[in-house]
């Protein structure tokens, strides 16, 4: 739901009633992950997607039904080969979808309004909804959790449950995760086990491109396409200009290692070193390989890589630290142009982020979609 927050925020401000269908669980080769959403207003306008097209029509009708009767609904869609025209997933996966009406007067509306407002401002926030449990709880209420642990809304007459879910949702938010938690009968405080969907909205992950060269210009465009907040850093002001990098979010004229020492990075940050010049690369990589980031890649030929490896060892970089370095940068696509090289780098980043092997899917027996940390399932308060 928070992926379409900008549009939903406008709908809330305009006073529109709508229903939102959210993927809450997937199995097999499902096309979308938990948190993917489709929203439909009373005029029939639709935004978002839950399946890439397979079951969109059926979910659209479920949203209309929820708007008419005010009843949330949890529906499972899977693959069926009994009828070529049956509604289902042609990919063979299974998805569970929660449809929630968000109308004036519905208890869930103020929380949804606050959540989409925060997400549209690019402020971190998490929203939790009960997916399965007592009928009076499922999809009808929500809890908005902020990074400091404070929260709004709740699940009714069970403040202990609100505190439990808020604590777990804050952990999900800290990690930028969306997924479900299973709460046992004791933990739920309402006499039945619950499944809770937690959707997190966090600022875009960072891609920092060091080296204002033509390959960097192509990588900036690909990085933006993948949803990164992209910074270009180079010590040479004649190259690091807005004219050359119009799509970059930030352009920094500074020695790369000095900028990396003062800027904020996290476990989702990717660092792409395209300078292939030892006076820039060595102090930069010496710092980069000791940071808790998702990816560190460096451009250069295999000869450049061997020379760089030697220089890094001389300044004390360990074997364990060097093992994190992706060099020469990118997957082997036979790339030659800046655009092809940018695609090669992006492919390696995505493979690392999603757990892919980087090999061709043709003839392989590996899953097309991989389980990733972005969609965990937790269990708390379980009883034997």
């Amino acid at each position: 739901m928070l992926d379409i927050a900008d549009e939903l925020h406008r709908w809330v401000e305009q006073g529109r009633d709508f229903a939102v269908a959210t993927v809450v669980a997937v199995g097999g080769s499902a096309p979308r992950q938990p948190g993917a959403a489709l929203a439909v207003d009373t005029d029939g306008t639709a935004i978002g997607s839950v399946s890439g097209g397979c079951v969109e029509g059926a979910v659209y009708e479920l949203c209309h039904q929820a708007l008419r009767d005010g009843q949330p609904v949890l529906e499972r869609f899977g693959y069926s080969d009994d009828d070529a025209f049956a509604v289902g997933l042609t990919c063979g996966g299974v998805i569970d979808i929660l449809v929630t009406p968000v109308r004036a007067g519905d208890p869930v509306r103020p929380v949804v309004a606050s959540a989409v407002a925060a997400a549209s401002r690019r402020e971190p926030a998490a929203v939790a909804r009960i997916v399965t449990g007592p009928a009076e709880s499922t999809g009808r209420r929500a809890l908005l959790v902020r990074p400091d642990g404070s929260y709004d809304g709740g699940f009714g007459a069970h403040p202990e449950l609100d505190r439990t879910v808020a604590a777990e949702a804050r952990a999900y938010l800290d990690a930028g995760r969306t997924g479900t938690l299973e709460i046992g009968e004791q933990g739920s405080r309402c006499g039945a086990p619950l499944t809770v969907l937690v959707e997190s909205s966090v600022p875009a992950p960072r891609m920092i491109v060091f080296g204002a060269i033509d390959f960097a210009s192509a990588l900036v465009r690909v990085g933006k396409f993948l949803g990164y907040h992209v910074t270009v850093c180079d010590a040479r002001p004649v190259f690091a200009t807005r004219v050359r990098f119009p799509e970059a979010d930030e352009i920094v004229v500074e020695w790369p290692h000095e900028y990396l020492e003062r800027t904020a990075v996290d476990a989702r940050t990717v660092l792409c070193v395209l300078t292939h010049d030892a006076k820039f690369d060595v102090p930069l990589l010496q710092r980069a390989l000791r940071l808790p980031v998702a990816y560190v890649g460096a451009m250069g030929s295999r000869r450049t890589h061997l020379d760089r490896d030697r220089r890094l060892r001389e300044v004390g970089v360990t074997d364990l630290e060097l093992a994190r370095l992706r060099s020469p940068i990118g997957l082997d696509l036979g790339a030659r142009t800046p655009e092809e090289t940018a695609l090669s780098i992006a492919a390696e980043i995505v493979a690392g982020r999603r757990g892919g092997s980087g090999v061709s899917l043709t003839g392989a027996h590996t899953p097309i979609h991989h389980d990733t940390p972005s969609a965990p399932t937790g269990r708390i308060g379980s009883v034997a």
Side-chain angles (χ1 to χ4, degrees):
M1 177 176 66
L2 300 183
D3 288 342
I4 54 175
D6 290 347
E7 285 292 336
L8 288 183
H9 181 50
R10 280 191 282 272
W11 285 9
V12 169
E13 288 190 318
Q14 293 165 2
R16 299 196 209 183
D17 290 344
F18 58 90
V20 60
T22 308
V23 176
V24 297
V26 301
S29 186
R32 302 296 305 275
Q33 291 300 303
L38 169 74
V40 180
D41 72 0
T42 51
D43 293 333
T45 303
I47 55 173
S49 172
V50 291
S51 70
C54 301
V55 299
E56 239 71 0
V59 175
Y60 181 87
E61 293 303 323
L62 288 175
C63 287
H64 272 300
Q65 175 185 323
L67 281 170
R68 288 192 300 268
D69 60 26
Q71 300 297 316
V73 60
L74 180 66
E75 189 78 16
R76 171 166 290 183
F77 293 92
Y79 175 76
S80 172
D81 58 3
D82 297 331
D83 180 354
F85 295 99
V87 173
L89 298 175
T90 57
C91 59
V94 175
I95 57 174
D96 291 341
I97 294 175
L98 175 67
V99 180
T100 301
V102 185
R103 308 171 305 168
D106 287 337
V108 76
R109 188 178 180 95
V111 178
V112 170
S114 297
V116 298
S120 67
R121 294 191 299 264
R122 306 300 183 260
E123 297 174 358
V127 61
R129 286 180 286 164
I130 294 176
V131 176
T132 62
E136 66 274 11
S137 302
T138 302
R140 296 179 183 277
R141 297 180 180 272
L143 190 74
L144 173 67
V145 182
R146 302 180 186 87
D148 64 1
S150 62
Y151 57 89
D152 294 332
F155 300 116
H158 303 287
E160 299 92 346
L161 173 61
D162 295 347
R163 288 193 289 270
T164 297
V165 172
E168 293 295 323
R170 183 184 181 187
Y172 275 48
L173 180 58
D174 288 345
R177 296 175 174 176
T178 288
T180 55
L181 1 137
E182 304 291 337
I183 302 179
E185 184 174 334
Q186 282 187 329
S188 75
R189 309 293 182 184
C190 58
L194 304 175
T195 300
V196 179
L197 173 71
V198 179
E199 298 178 72
S200 295
S201 174
V202 293
R206 298 192 68 189
M207 172 185 283
I208 308 178
V209 181
F210 297 98
I213 62 176
D214 52 353
F215 288 89
S217 180
L219 184 56
V220 167
R221 295 194 297 273
V222 174
K224 292 297 296 178
F225 177 75
L226 291 177
Y228 284 92
H229 181 280
V230 183
T231 300
V232 176
C233 176
D234 197 299
R236 302 164 295 181
V238 68
F239 296 118
T241 66
R242 178 59 62 185
V243 171
R244 298 189 70 221
F245 299 97
E247 296 180 62
D249 294 290
E250 296 176 290
I251 299 173
V252 177
V253 180
E254 191 171 341
W255 275 80
H257 71 283
E258 292 179 355
Y259 174 67
L260 187 58
E261 285 175 355
R262 69 173 180 82
T263 194
V265 299
D266 61 24
R268 301 182 299 148
T269 302
V270 300
L271 307 177
C272 301
V273 181
L274 309 187
T275 46
H276 54 275
D277 184 330
K279 67 177 179 289
F280 295 120
D281 291 2
V282 173
L284 173 60
L285 290 171
Q286 184 182 13
R287 172 66 175 161
L289 292 172
R290 292 167 180 167
L291 292 174
V293 296
Y295 175 90
V296 181
M299 177 178 277
S301 66
R302 297 196 183 278
R303 178 179 295 179
T304 299
H305 166 71
L306 292 174
D307 178 68
R308 186 165 49 215
D309 184 89
R310 176 183 60 80
R311 291 173 184 268
L312 288 169
R313 292 178 187 278
E314 288 176 353
V315 296
V317 179
T318 67
D319 288 344
L320 187 61
E321 291 165 346
L322 282 170
R324 300 183 58 212
L325 179 60
R326 311 303 298 174
S327 174
I329 197 169
L331 297 184
D332 180 10
L333 305 183
R336 291 186 177 275
T337 69
E339 291 73 20
E340 290 172 346
T341 302
L343 179 62
S344 163
I345 296 169
E348 184 171 61
I349 290 170
V350 172
R353 180 180 178 182
R354 300 300 186 189
S357 65
V359 303
S360 174
L361 291 173
T362 302
H365 300 286
T366 56
I368 294 176
H369 304 291
H370 294 258
D371 293 329
T372 68
S374 62
T377 298
R379 294 181 182 275
I380 59 175
S382 297
V383 292

